[in-house]
Amino acid sequence: MSCSLLFPNKCISSPLKPLLITGKPVQNEELRKIETIVNDQIKAELDVYAKEVTLSNAKRINGLRAVFGEVYPDPVRVISIGKKVDDLLADPDNVEWLSYSAKLCGGTHLSNTKEAKAFALISEEGIAKGVHRVTVVTADCAFEALELAHSLD
């Protein structure tokens, strides 16, 4: 599966509605895989890095995510989970960066993935061709949602 998950600016326990960018409808199995990957990243307690850089340098980073049609300032804030932004900029074409979450953003973020505690996808809907909106919860709400989902299996 090849997709990008773009999150709003802060993980909290109330529902979030990130965009899932993919070329086709998302199957339940793929949604569960996404949920597992995100929870693994939370358990890994990855640091979240932010740095203001020129827009042209930011756009060179392999795998960088951005919202289509969004106009970004110059300089722009780059957020990266698990890898320092300076490392991404030092070797922007590195294919390894595709396995990290890096995006353009202006908002507040966690300083470490452990602050989210848990992640649960609770709904998904197509909003445009190749763009799906998923509703997710984190923290205690995610634990409750995951427990309920497992009790229904």
Side-chain angles (χ1 to χ4, degrees):
M1 177 182 62
S2 175
C3 68
S4 296
L5 191 60
L6 301 176
F7 282 92
N9 293 335
K10 188 157 176 92
C11 280
I12 54 175
S13 58
S14 60
L16 302 172
K17 296 185 182 260
L19 296 177
L20 182 64
I21 312 299
T22 182
K24 60 184 179 180
V26 185
Q27 303 301 314
N28 285 340
E29 179 183 307
E30 293 170 320
L31 290 172
R32 288 179 197 216
K33 183 177 178 182
I34 292 168
E35 195 173 71
T36 298
I37 290 168
V38 173
N39 278 304
D40 288 347
Q41 299 301 304
I42 291 169
K43 289 175 189 168
E45 298 185 2
L46 301 172
D47 287 328
V48 178
Y49 301 95
K51 183 171 183 163
E52 207 170 84
V53 302
T54 65
L55 186 56
S56 60
N57 281 340
K59 287 182 174 181
R60 292 180 49 230
I61 298 171
N62 197 3
L64 183 82
R65 283 110 178 140
V67 176
F68 300 114
E70 186 76 21
V71 177
Y72 292 96
D74 194 0
V76 66
R77 191 166 178 237
V78 174
I79 303 293
S80 176
I81 299 174
K83 191 59 104 171
K84 292 180 180 178
V85 176
D86 285 333
D87 294 342
L88 303 177
L89 293 168
D91 186 13
D93 298 322
N94 191 328
V95 295
E96 181 184 347
W97 304 157
L98 294 172
S99 64
Y100 290 90
S101 180
K103 69 177 200 161
L104 299 180
C105 186
T108 304
H109 283 266
L110 306 172
S111 62
N112 188 290
T113 58
K114 70 181 174 187
E115 295 170 30
K117 297 183 183 176
F119 173 92
L121 282 159
I122 56 176
S123 71
E124 179 265 340
E125 64 179 318
I127 60 171
K129 185 175 182 174
V131 180
H132 298 257
R133 183 169 301 281
V134 291
T135 302
V136 305
V137 289
T138 60
D140 294 336
C141 290
F143 287 123
E144 291 172 22
L146 293 168
E147 186 176 307
L148 178 60
H150 292 301
S151 73
L152 298 173
D153 283 340

